[in-house]
Structure formats: structure tokens, C-alpha cells
Amino acid sequence: MSTRIIRHPPAAPGIAIGRAHLVTIAPAPVPTYWITDTEVAGEIQRFRRALQQSKRQLTSIKNKLCRFQGREQIQILDSHLLLIQDELLVTRAIQQIANQKINAEWAVEKTLEQIRLAFLETRERYLQERRSDIDYIGRRLMKNLAGEGEPDLRAAPYPAVILVVNDLSPAEVAALPRRRIRGFVTATGGNTSHTAIIARSLELPAMVGNERALHHIKEGDHVILDGNAGKLLIRPTVRQIASYRKQQRADEKERRTLLKEGHLPAVTRDGRRVTLAANIELIDEIPTALEYGAEEIGMYRTEYLYLNRSDLPTEEEHYRNYREAVERMAPRPVTIRTLDIGGDKLFAHAEYQEHTNPALGLRAIRFCLREREMFRAQLRAIYRASARGAVRILFPLISTVDELRELRVLVREVQAELRKSRRPFNPDVPLGAMIEVPSAALVAEHLAPHVQFFSIGTNDLTQYSLAIDRTNEHVAYLFHPLHPSVLRLIHQTVQSAKRHGIPVTICGEMAAEPLALLPLLGLELDGLSMNPISIPRVKRLLWKADAAQAAALAAQLTAAATATEAEAMAQRALQALEADANRAADTP
Ligand code: PEP
Ligand code: MG
């Protein structure tokens, strides 16, 4: 059978070569039956045993993760552990068994359904993907109630395996035997899911939500998972395998060198300095960010603080978290992005009922400007943390000058409150606007006087410019950050920032894309913020690049008619850069 290549955005970078092992993790059975009064105590005990067993399993995976991987993503497993011990879950399930006289599986199912209501029908990508955490907990509990073991992902039948599976929980990913399992492909999930985050932190090449792949791969097929370019090669030719093995060896060598050279600045051949920063979701990612040479935290997505709980984080909780982030990064700055969710469902406000287009609705800064008290707690905490080190505040989804005016008034009020309560803070914390809506890019000239920096969120800027729902796989083929229209908006934003003397960076996924590097360099971005493990690769490319040549390329791309044309030009320039660099390396 011939080779088939499937393109799909990767969840974790790297190249994995192996044979496909197909596994279906079946949903756990949920038997439902009534029990008698005399059976209640036994049923509660059975439920408690399953809870204990689930807790032991998660703890053991967590310990393994700490011991062997030395990675810091254990907080995700901690959140599952917390969920499993959650008062709400335990007490309600027991009440259901006792009051309704139903079996434990049924009671668990009903209780989890109630917990899911906290995430009720949200269309917000971030929350949807957190909702899957509840499903994973449910699956584990049900399996333990049924006396079934965990799916045996260790029984990998080949020395090098690419696991192809309908779905994997973060804990299952963390427990994979790394020597054999070189990468995985799932049919469900998104790139911001915890499963994807764990894969990235473990540096395990992965693709999630690639349903198409599951239709084409057969057990034992040779597969190459190219998590750098977002390609899956099914039944590759011998030449393709040889070429990818070569690339794997080169990547490994480069990685080792770069980790050693992490402290070296990112500067082009002709002397243009670009700041390389890390995007993080949890403060536990900071050691990884530092290890990979992040000069700063370019965007700390604070949504995680609000999730997996039914109440709001207090100012004190925010403060402790931000203070830790700032102290761990010191003296490097931390850019804290304020809450970016369409939180109506999270906080269950009846007045913000589901609307047809949530991406165009009350999300991010719009929501925060409505929910002032909640927002003030976050702002006060950020300002308090500013007394402990370098902080910047980044406001998401700015679309008008009025929003910035309102925010500046709010910030002054928060500062006055802190002064009154004698809390130390830095009154000059730089304020930044995320440019991720075309209207903001087009009036960047007028936004610039109100802030001290811009950060361009190209994930949303692409979504809103091209009218492509970034979570909808049916239109994913149209999602092109290198589309000339997006590049023009970036260009316009950068020019406005330069005229007003403020720095401008990119913090969308394209910052880590090798194909986008030369165009972005040519558009004169001051910095790029990305997932930490991509930093060394981007830095290595920057060292080889020439900013003047990149500027000429950017001009061509901006003038192109289609994304395909622009991407082809960027591809040729990237290949020429690689070839030049290889020639230079061969010359004694
Ligand atoms: C973006 O939109 O590019 C961005 C960085 O923000 P998020 O992905 O969190 O929406
Ligand atoms: Mg965004």
C-alpha cells in the first residue's frame, strides 16, 4: 500500500518513528440498579474502595512523573487527585447511594453530571477541554468500580511504537513506557488539553484530535509522526524513514548543544536582537522555561487559576501565585495576562446565557470589565506581586480605544486602594494590549499612546481575520496565520508600535513555527513568545537568519494574493537558509 500523508497541527513537537499500535479505550460500563436498605453500607464501602484505588493509581503516576521525568507538570495530576477527593463528589455520591438507594456507578455518574454542569454547555475551547478532565476521573472511577484494570498500554507489541488511540487521559500519557512508546495520535482532544500539555512537557511527539488518522492507520503500519511540521506519514518509504532518522539525529544533537547554549542571546547574523520568551499556563512550567533559555515569561495564561473549582480565587490566592512566578523568574520579567474566558457558564450567571457566537461575545476583557469585583481582585494581586519583581500586565482581546481608557481608570482606582491599605507596589507596571482582533490592529496607532507594549495574539487574529473558528476541525484547512491579510495586520500593528516607541511581540502559536520565523523577523517584531521547548529550535534558526533579507521576504509575502503563495515563498526562504547554513558549516 502506498504512503499516505496526513497534515494536522501537532500537539507536541519532535519526530517519532515506529509501528502503529491501535488501542481503543472503551468507555467504562455504567450499570444502574436499585439497592435495598441493607445493601447501602456495602455500596458506600465499594465506592470508597474505588476512590482509594483511583487515588493510589494517580499518586503513583504522579510520583513516577516526579522521579523519572523530573518534570513539573504534576499539578495537572494534582488537580485530578483533588477532584477525586472533592467534597462535592464524595459527599454527593454517598448521599445519592443512601437517599436514592442506587448503586455506586449510577451515583457517580449522576454526581459527575452535576459537576459537569459547572461547565455547562460552554463553547469556550479552554473550558471544554478542562471538562474532559472530569470525564477522565469518571472513567477511572468506573473502571475501578467494575474491577477492571487500567487499559494496558504497556503491552506494546513492537520495540518502537506510535500509539494510535481514541482518547488518552493526562495520567495515561504520564504513565506511558517511554522507551517503547515514541509518540501518540488520538482521535479526540485539542492542543490546549491537559493531555497535550503533558505530552509537550514530556517532550513526547503527539497529535491530538486527528480522527482522520484513525481511519487510515492499520495495526503494525510503519508511521512517522512529524510533530515539527505537523505531518503524519503512514507507511512511509524506506527513503522517507532514512531521511527522518537523519533529521532525528540532527535534532537531538542540536537540542543538546542548544540546552548548553541556552544563555546565549537570540541574535541574527546581521545583529538584530529578538527576545525569546515563554508562554506558560502553570507556574510549574517555569523551570522548563528557564532550562530552555526563556529570557522572560511573555504570556502567563491565568485561566488555570479559575478552573476545576466552583468558587472564585481570592486576591490572596492570586497574589501568592503571581509572587511565586515573579520570584522564580527574577530578575526576568513575567507578563501576566488577565483572565481570558467567556466565563458566563463558569460562574453560572443567568444573565449571560449561551449565545450563538461565544467567540464574538462577552469573553476576555469584555467579561472582566463587566465583572469588576472579580477583575479588581486579580489586578490588585498583580500589583502587589509587582513589589516582588518585574511584572507586566497584558489585557486580552482589546478591540477599542475606549476599553483601554476604562482599564486605565480601573488601574488608577486599584492603585489608590493599595496605597490606602499601605500595600507596596510598583506604580509603573507596564500595561500591554493584546492585538488579536482586526479592529485593534487597524487602530493600533490610537491604542499605542495608552499602553507600554503590544503583544499580538495571532491565534485569535487569524480566527477573526479569516472568519475561521479556531476550534472547528472542518474549517481548519483555511486557518493560515501566514495569510497575507493577517501579515498586513501584523505589519500595521508593528509600524504603529514603532511610531510610538513601544515594543511589540507575538505570543500566538505561529511564534514557534519555523516557517513563520523569517516573515516575522522581516516584519520587525521585537520578541516572540512560545511554548518553552520550541525556544532552542527558533533560536538556532535566528542565528542563521539575516534580518535585512527577511525584510525583503516579508514585503513579498505581504503583497501575495493567497496564503498558499505566501507559504510557498516562506518555505523556499527557509530551505535556502538551511542550505546556506549547512554549506557554511561544511566550509573549513
Ligand atoms: C492568541 O490568541 O494568539 C493567544 C496567544 O491567546 P489564546 O491562544 O490564549 O487565545
Ligand atoms: Mg487569544
Side-chain angles (χ1 to χ4, degrees):
M1 250 195 283
S2 58
T3 306
R4 177 180 282 272
I5 300 180
I6 295 180
R7 289 182 181 276
H8 187 84
I15 291 165
I17 306 174
R19 294 181 66 186
H21 179 40
L22 274 56
V23 177
T24 304
I25 300 184
V30 187
T32 53
Y33 49 83
W34 307 104
I35 55 173
T36 59
D37 282 344
T38 51
E39 287 167 334
V40 165
E43 203 56 18
I44 292 176
Q45 206 182 10
R46 198 165 74 83
F47 168 64
R48 285 197 185 280
R49 264 202 306 271
L51 270 182
Q52 284 309 324
Q53 202 174 351
S54 307
K55 203 173 126 190
R56 271 198 306 275
Q57 288 161 350
L58 287 171
T59 310
S60 118
I61 295 168
K62 184 183 129 182
N63 292 343
K64 172 175 171 270
L65 196 62
C66 304
R67 238 187 4 257
F68 297 117
Q69 309 292 348
R71 296 286 165 204
E72 305 277 338
Q73 297 292 5
I74 50 172
Q75 192 171 337
I76 289 169
L77 288 167
D78 272 338
S79 74
H80 286 201
L81 270 165
L82 279 178
L83 208 77
I84 227 160
Q85 297 166 87
D86 192 280
E87 266 301 297
L88 199 70
L89 173 68
V90 181
T91 329
R92 282 221 192 141
I94 290 177
Q95 275 169 0
Q96 303 258 16
I97 297 173
N99 299 346
Q100 301 192 21
K101 311 274 180 305
I102 56 176
N103 67 319
E105 285 90 342
W106 197 358
V108 168
E109 179 64 11
K110 280 179 170 238
T111 309
L112 288 174
E113 200 44 51
Q114 287 166 358
I115 296 179
R116 275 187 205 103
L117 284 182
F119 298 83
L120 184 72
E121 287 176 347
T122 178
R123 298 259 196 99
E124 183 68 42
R125 168 185 54 101
Y126 201 92
L127 290 182
Q128 268 181 3
E129 291 177 357
R130 292 304 169 273
R131 203 163 51 179
S132 59
D133 289 339
I134 297 173
D135 296 337
Y136 295 136
I137 289 299
R139 192 162 84 196
R140 185 171 290 279
L141 267 173
M142 293 299 181
K143 292 252 177 209
N144 286 327
L145 277 167
E148 285 179 20
E150 298 196 56
D152 196 5
L153 301 169
R154 295 166 173 274
Y158 320 109
V161 169
I162 309 287
L163 195 63
V164 181
V165 56
N166 53 332
D167 189 17
L168 272 183
S169 74
E172 282 156 357
V173 175
L176 289 175
R178 290 296 309 278
R179 275 191 46 233
R180 280 179 164 230
I181 301 206
R182 306 292 165 86
F184 70 85
V185 180
T186 69
T188 58
N191 284 347
T192 53
S193 64
H194 279 155
T195 297
I197 292 174
I198 291 272
R200 283 196 285 276
S201 75
L202 297 178
E203 295 175 40
L204 186 62
M207 269 181 192
V208 304
N210 189 348
E211 199 186 345
R212 211 148 58 92
L214 270 78
H215 297 312
H216 295 290
I217 301 179
K218 293 196 190 49
E219 177 68 33
D221 273 349
H222 287 278
V223 173
I224 298 174
L225 196 174
D226 179 351
N228 301 333
K231 277 197 276 184
L232 194 65
L233 289 80
I234 306 168
R235 299 175 290 278
T237 62
V238 174
R239 276 179 80 158
Q240 284 167 326
I241 296 181
S243 148
Y244 268 99
R245 286 215 191 282
K246 198 167 149 207
Q247 200 178 323
Q248 245 182 346
R249 282 192 295 273
D251 281 0
E252 184 46 32
K253 198 166 146 212
E254 183 170 297
R255 199 181 84 91
R256 277 199 301 263
T257 319
L258 278 161
L259 281 182
K260 270 192 251 146
E261 297 166 345
H263 59 287
L264 295 176
V267 59
T268 63
R269 268 194 303 158
D270 54 343
R272 168 82 66 73
R273 182 80 172 78
V274 178
T275 306
L276 295 188
N279 291 344
I280 59 165
E281 292 198 324
L282 305 167
I283 53 176
D284 285 335
E285 289 172 277
I286 287 177
T288 311
L290 291 172
E291 184 191 351
Y292 282 85
E295 297 173 66
E296 47 190 72
I297 298 299
M299 176 174 61
Y300 173 17
R301 290 181 164 107
T302 55
E303 288 73 53
Y304 196 82
L305 285 168
Y306 294 80
L307 301 171
N308 293 333
R309 55 191 297 163
S310 50
D311 57 348
L312 286 171
T314 62
E315 178 184 325
E316 217 42 45
E317 279 175 66
H318 278 294
Y319 169 62
R320 278 198 301 273
N321 188 282
Y322 303 151
R323 188 184 65 190
E324 192 176 337
V326 165
E327 288 177 349
R328 284 166 90 167
M329 277 306 285
R332 303 166 187 82
V334 177
T335 302
I336 301 178
R337 183 180 75 179
T338 58
L339 178 64
D340 179 4
I341 45 177
D344 46 329
K345 296 306 169 288
L346 179 64
F347 307 121
H349 281 279
E351 60 183 300
Y352 309 137
Q353 277 312 314
E354 177 86 353
H355 290 93
T356 319
N357 294 309
L360 306 180
L362 198 64
R363 69 170 271 212
I365 206 65
R366 303 169 182 181
F367 182 75
C368 288
L369 284 172
R370 184 75 71 93
E371 289 297 319
R372 290 292 172 104
E373 271 322 297
M374 178 203 77
F375 192 33
R376 273 172 195 277
Q378 183 174 35
L379 286 176
R380 267 197 304 266
I382 301 177
Y383 270 103
R384 284 172 58 194
S386 75
R388 301 302 197 109
V391 170
R392 298 187 191 125
I393 303 179
L394 180 57
F395 299 118
L397 210 81
I398 295 297
S399 57
T400 73
V401 174
D402 293 331
E403 282 163 346
L404 289 182
R405 289 206 180 98
E406 246 186 283
L407 284 164
R408 286 179 58 187
V409 171
L410 188 63
V411 157
R412 276 199 295 275
E413 286 171 12
V414 163
Q415 291 192 356
E417 284 164 18
L418 290 173
R419 267 191 208 98
K420 214 165 140 197
S421 54
R422 298 188 184 283
R423 296 276 195 195
F425 66 93
N426 170 13
D428 299 319
V429 168
L431 303 179
M434 274 192 88
I435 306 295
E436 42 188 356
V437 180
S439 64
L442 293 169
V443 296
E445 189 67 34
H446 301 287
L447 298 175
H450 298 276
V451 287
Q452 285 75 51
F453 68 100
F454 281 157
S455 188
I456 308 179
T458 45
N459 306 337
D460 277 317
L461 189 61
T462 309
Q463 149 163 284
Y464 295 123
S465 310
L466 304 179
I468 306 302
D469 177 348
R470 62 194 257 196
T471 68
N472 182 338
E473 64 270 24
H474 302 297
V475 286
Y477 72 101
L478 291 169
F479 193 91
H480 292 283
L482 284 180
H483 191 289
S485 61
V486 181
L487 295 178
R488 282 172 190 233
L489 292 170
I490 297 175
H491 174 71
Q492 179 150 353
T493 307
V494 174
Q495 292 311 310
S496 304
K498 296 227 177 289
R499 273 196 290 278
H500 287 87
I502 62 170
V504 52
T505 57
I506 294 247
C507 61
E509 300 305 311
M510 91 188 280
E513 268 292 321
L515 195 61
L517 181 70
L518 292 175
L520 294 180
L521 177 65
L523 288 170
E524 296 184 36
L525 272 303
D526 297 299
L528 301 171
S529 192
M530 63 197 80
N531 65 67
I533 58 177
S534 297
I535 293 176
R537 202 155 39 102
V538 171
K539 192 188 283 184
R540 166 68 40 118
L541 277 175
L542 260 178
W543 283 341
K544 298 172 192 164
D546 181 289
Q549 280 175 11
L553 174 73
Q556 284 174 358
L557 262 63
T558 320
T562 65
T564 317
E565 260 176 59
E567 282 166 10
M569 284 189 244
Q571 189 66 51
R572 280 197 295 275
L574 182 64
Q575 276 163 357
L577 178 73
E578 300 277 15
D580 271 3
N582 291 342
R583 259 198 304 281
D586 290 343
T587 314

